[in-house]
Amino acid sequence: MFDRTFFERQFLDCAQQFCRDHKIAAPVVELLLDDGTAFRLRAIGLTKESWLSLSAHGERGEARVVLCPYFTIKRITFSAPGSPKDGTFALPAKP
């Protein structure tokens, strides 16, 4: 199960490793919930004890904010963008 610790300590490492492995600047990250809803992530906002806030790509490219309990997250998928129109995840700038 995904939790606060995963998103604070491991998620970005997973995303960055995927980018290195596939030689891309930013991944497409899809989060699947247990009710079948899928979100294509722009960024992760707050991480709280039992939930997190996500910035997600809307259907027409607009940003939307989603407050999501950790226990509802079923799967996280990293993939390479297939076209420039694919919404990618915003990785933090390297120091």
Side-chain angles (χ1 to χ4, degrees), residues 38-75:
F39 295 105
R40 191 165 277 190
L41 301 185
R42 286 178 176 262
I44 293 176
L46 299 172
T47 53
K48 297 295 186 177
E49 190 60 35
S50 59
W51 59 273
L52 74 161
S53 67
L54 308 164
S55 176
H57 296 275
E59 292 177 15
R60 294 177 300 281
E62 75 282 4
R64 35 186 206 163
V65 174
V66 179
L67 304 179
C68 183
Y70 296 113
F71 72 87
T72 64
I73 301 169
K74 185 173 183 175
R75 181 174 61 227

Side-chain angles (χ1 to χ4, degrees), residues 1-2 7 30-37 68-77:
M1 177 164 76
F2 298 106
F7 283 96
E30 187 173 88
L31 186 122
L32 177 66
L33 302 184
D34 59 0
D35 67 358
T37 304
C68 183
Y70 296 113
F71 72 87
T72 64
I73 301 169
K74 185 173 183 175
R75 181 174 61 227
I76 300 169
T77 305

